[in-house]
């Protein structure tokens, strides 16, 4: 399990296609007029306005689609139950072998590279097609081994069907990267919106119809197929086979640390799946899947922001002051959003299980609460690696992957073996703290003197105070006995957050609004 797998979506994931994720940074002066990219040069100023408007487009699409994502993440587990979700997670771990071994960050390099797209795109497509074909055949061949280990014969046909989703980046992700590089945010968001909509309709429909675990597989496959058809119709560049050695070498130089990171994460993903399933059964594994899917939904807003600013970062790498302010501002924005989502999970996990998911999911309550804590902590500097990738430097990502590898074998697996689900929940919380500490190291080298906690102190204090006050009122009034009463407490929490943020961050929010309105 990697940092991304611990509740964080991959930055280049084209719309959550394929299997669901496995469970288991001297004081800096406050900017006087912070913006999405507070400009100190004409070029940065032009890109700042375009990125801000692009973020508004992406956020509008993304937040609407998150409603579907959350609904699917709650309805489907309730209908299928833990055992079916756990079985799909085991099949997903086999798919993770292919996804990990083909991870070269080709989509991000396509955005970061200065060469004309007509020169680089054919090579990018060819590399993706070759790796996807080889690894699809590989995971199909590997499926019987997992089926034998888990005594689950259904794993073989599940993996064989899901193997087609390994081609998602070739046919969906790369065209999306072309739109992003050209700052065509509306088209990019339209392409990215297809997969979650189709996934929701097909997955929920099949689950209600009684398709069992095949509801999850059918949703993943249908979203890939429909997305590919839509992208083919909209794509500005048509795919063709060509392998330019010079271009391929640039892709490999950019991607080998990411590939090695994936290789490290592969061992932890497989080990985590098998050990957790062996110790806690498929249902126990499903509890980890559920908590991480909820965490992944909370991080989607942060991922949207990162995708929006990445092409701008690639074009303003010489403007260090603007990039620093961009990092500070994105950190504060993501802390507000992820703070609300994370503290919300901590406060309302019990209500979520009692009134929506059902009693079968009751053992996951504490794990969901700890995942909420992990979301709050993990949001600090969430998009840190994009600032390095924009410079063509992917080695810091490898540092975090090595840390995750150590954490899984030294903390998570022993905790699950010794203390079961409760031990795993504490381990998830510990990873978020460890990630924050390790993440601070490369950030301090890129932006000397910048502290992640100090940067987001206002936002953490505001959302934390709102959560604490809500908890006190809940304690005095008693736990809600109905979904309507629980929803009222959610409304109270959101109202308190809005009041505290407006009081503490009013100037910051007004400056952001001016950036969104700025014309490039």
């Amino acid at each position: 399990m990697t940092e991304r797998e611990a509740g964080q979506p991959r930055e280049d994931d084209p719309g959550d296609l394929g299997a669901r994720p496995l469970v288991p940074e001297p004081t800096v002066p406050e900017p006087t007029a912070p913006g999405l990219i507070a400009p100190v040069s004409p070029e940065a100023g032009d890109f700042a306005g375009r990125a801000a408007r692009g973020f508004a487009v992406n956020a509008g699409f993304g937040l609407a689609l998150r409603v579907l994502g959350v609904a699917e993440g709650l309805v489907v587990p309730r209908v299928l139950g833990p055992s079916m979700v756990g079985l799909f997670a085991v099949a997903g771990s086999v798919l993770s072998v292919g996804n990990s071994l083909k991870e070269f960050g080709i989509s991000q390099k396509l955005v970061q590279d200065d060469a004309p797209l007509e020169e680089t795109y054919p090579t990018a497509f060819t590399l993706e097609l070759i790796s996807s074909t080889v690894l699809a055949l590989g995971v199909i061949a590997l499926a019987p081994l997992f089926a034998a280990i888990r005594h689950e014969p259904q794993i073989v046909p599940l993996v064989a069907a899901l193997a087609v989703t390994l081609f998602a980046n070739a046919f969906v992700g790369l065209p999306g990267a072309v739109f992003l590089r050209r700052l065509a945010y509306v088209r990019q968001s339209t392409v990215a919106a297809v997969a979650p909509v189709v996934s929701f309709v097909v997955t929920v429909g099949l689950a209600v119809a009684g398709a069992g675990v095949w509801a999850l597989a059918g949703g993943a496959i249908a979203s890939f197929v429909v997305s590919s058809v839509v992208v083919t119709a909209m794509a500005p560049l048509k795919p063709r086979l060509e392998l330019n050695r010079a271009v391929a070498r640039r892709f490999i130089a950019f991607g080998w640390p990411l590939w090695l990171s994936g290789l490290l994460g592969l061992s932890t993903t497989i080990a985590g799946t098998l050990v957790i399933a062996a110790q806690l059964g498929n249902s126990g594994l499903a509890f980890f899947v559920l908590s991480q899917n909820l965490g992944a939904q909370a991080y989607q807003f942060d991922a949207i922001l990162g995708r929006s600013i990445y092409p701008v970062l690639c074009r303003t790498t010489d403007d260090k002051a603007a990039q620093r302010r961009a990092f500070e501002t994105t950190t504060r924005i993501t802390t507000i959003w992820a703070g609300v989502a994370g503290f919300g999970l901590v406060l309302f996990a019990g209500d979520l299980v009692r009134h929506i998911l059902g009693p079968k999911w009751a053992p996951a309550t504490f794990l969901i609460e700890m995942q909420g804590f992990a979301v709050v902590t993990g949001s600090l500097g969430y998009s840190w690696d994009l600032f390095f990738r924009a410079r063509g430097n992917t080695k810091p990502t490898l540092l975090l992957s090595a840390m995750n590898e150590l954490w899984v074998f030294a903390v998570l697996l022993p905790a699950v073996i010794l203390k079961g689900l409760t031990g795993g929940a504490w381990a998830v919380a510990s990873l978020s703290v460890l990630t924050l500490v390790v993440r601070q190291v490369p950030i301090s080298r890129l932006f000397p003197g910048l502290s992640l906690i100090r940067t987001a102190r206002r936002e953490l204090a505001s959302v934390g105070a709102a959560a604490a006050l809500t908890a006190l009122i809940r304690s005095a009034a008693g736990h809600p006995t109905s979904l309507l009463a629980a929803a009222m407490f959610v409304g109270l929490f959101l109202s308190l957050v809005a009041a505290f943020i407006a009081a503490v961050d009013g100037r910051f929010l007004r400056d952001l609004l001016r950036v969104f309105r700025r014309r490039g």
Side-chain angles (χ1 to χ4, degrees):
M1 280 180 283
T2 67
E3 177 190 7
R4 297 294 181 205
E5 286 166 334
Q8 303 189 39
R10 283 169 41 195
E11 295 294 341
D12 59 345
D13 190 344
D16 296 330
L17 294 172
R20 269 53 173 181
L22 173 67
V23 267
E25 355 209 305
T27 302
V28 179
E30 182 73 15
T32 56
L36 189 60
I37 293 186
V40 294
S41 71
E43 180 185 22
D46 175 57
F47 280 127
R50 297 173 72 182
R53 291 190 299 277
F55 169 65
V57 170
N58 286 344
F61 275 86
L63 293 180
L65 293 172
R66 283 314 97 202
V67 175
L68 292 181
V70 171
E72 180 181 336
L74 297 178
V75 172
V76 174
R78 181 180 179 89
V79 174
L80 297 185
S83 60
M84 289 293 99
V85 176
L87 174 60
F88 187 78
V90 177
S93 69
V94 186
L95 265 292
S96 71
V97 175
N99 283 316
S100 297
L101 294 180
K102 66 186 290 293
E103 178 52 51
F104 270 87
I106 291 178
S107 294
Q108 291 188 346
K109 180 58 179 176
L110 200 63
V111 176
Q112 189 267 341
D113 200 89
D114 291 331
L117 283 168
E118 291 75 9
E119 174 186 327
T120 58
Y121 189 81
T123 297
F125 175 78
T126 302
L127 290 174
E128 278 287 352
L129 195 62
I130 292 173
S131 62
S132 298
T133 301
V134 172
L135 292 169
L137 295 174
V139 298
I140 292 174
L142 189 62
L145 175 60
F146 276 72
I149 293 174
R150 290 296 305 146
H151 306 288
E152 299 277 6
Q154 274 188 284
I155 291 175
V156 176
L158 276 172
V159 171
L162 288 167
V164 68
T165 63
L166 290 174
F167 293 88
N169 203 46
F171 292 100
V172 182
L174 290 181
V178 174
F179 293 133
L180 197 58
R181 172 165 162 168
R182 294 178 174 179
L183 303 185
Y185 289 106
V186 173
R187 284 179 172 266
Q188 191 269 338
S189 295
T190 302
V191 169
V194 174
V197 171
V198 174
S199 177
F200 175 82
V201 172
V202 175
T203 304
V204 173
L206 289 177
V208 173
V213 70
W214 284 98
L216 294 165
I221 296 168
S223 61
F224 162 69
V225 172
V226 176
S227 295
S228 298
V229 172
V230 172
V231 169
T232 299
M234 296 179 61
L237 296 175
K238 301 305 178 185
R240 59 186 174 88
L241 295 176
E242 178 184 301
L243 196 58
N244 184 306
R245 293 185 179 181
V247 174
R249 282 194 294 267
R250 294 205 301 272
F251 279 113
I252 293 173
F254 179 89
W256 73 261
L258 302 178
W259 182 85
L260 188 54
S261 298
L263 187 62
L264 290 174
L266 178 59
S267 63
T268 56
T269 297
I270 294 175
T273 299
L274 295 179
V275 171
I276 291 173
Q279 290 293 124
L280 307 177
N282 282 353
S283 294
L285 182 61
F287 298 147
F288 279 88
V289 171
L290 173 67
S291 67
Q292 289 205 337
N293 281 345
L294 291 174
Q297 295 298 328
Y299 280 116
Q300 283 298 318
F301 183 85
D302 305 342
I304 291 168
L305 179 56
R307 285 195 296 268
S308 300
I309 68 171
Y310 180 65
V312 183
L313 297 177
C314 294
R315 288 157 176 77
T316 57
T317 54
D318 293 335
D319 201 335
K320 198 69 170 286
Q323 293 226 333
R324 179 172 184 139
R325 292 191 176 186
F327 183 84
E328 292 170 340
T329 304
T330 54
T331 296
R332 296 177 67 178
I333 294 173
T334 58
T335 302
I336 295 173
W337 171 265
V340 172
F343 281 120
L345 288 177
V346 175
L347 287 170
F348 305 112
D351 299 329
L352 185 68
V353 171
R354 281 191 297 271
H355 303 303
I356 297 179
L357 291 171
K360 291 182 179 180
W361 294 92
T365 301
F366 183 60
L367 183 59
I368 295 173
E369 293 172 345
M370 290 297 98
Q371 185 66 59
F373 172 79
V375 167
V376 175
T377 310
S379 69
L380 301 177
Y382 175 81
S383 298
W384 69 277
D385 54 343
L386 294 183
F387 288 78
F388 288 91
R389 297 188 191 198
R391 291 167 166 77
N393 181 8
T394 53
K395 294 179 182 178
T397 304
L398 183 57
L399 170 68
L400 266 293
S401 296
M403 181 273 294
N404 280 293
E405 177 88 2
L406 178 63
W407 170 80
V408 169
F409 288 104
V411 179
L412 176 63
L413 298 186
V416 170
I417 293 172
L418 296 175
K419 296 295 183 179
L421 200 61
T422 300
W426 284 111
V428 168
S430 73
L431 175 63
S432 67
V433 176
L434 180 61
T435 297
L436 177 62
V437 173
V438 177
R439 186 184 290 171
Q440 180 67 64
V441 176
I443 288 301
S444 296
R445 293 176 180 173
L446 183 61
F447 303 123
L450 191 151
S451 166
L452 290 173
I453 295 178
R454 189 182 299 119
T455 298
R457 65 190 183 278
R458 290 176 174 82
E459 293 71 31
L460 285 172
S462 299
V463 182
L469 184 55
T470 303
L472 287 174
I473 295 174
R474 273 173 57 99
S475 178
H479 291 293
T481 57
S482 67
L483 181 59
L484 177 60
M488 293 177 65
F489 277 109
V490 173
L492 172 64
F493 172 55
L494 295 178
S495 299
L496 290 173
V497 169
F500 280 114
I501 289 294
V504 175
D505 266 341
R507 180 181 178 183
F508 173 67
L509 297 175
R510 288 192 298 271
D511 288 337
L512 278 179
L513 185 59
R514 282 197 291 271
V515 173
F516 282 119
R517 291 175 175 174
R518 180 182 299 141
R519 298 185 62 84

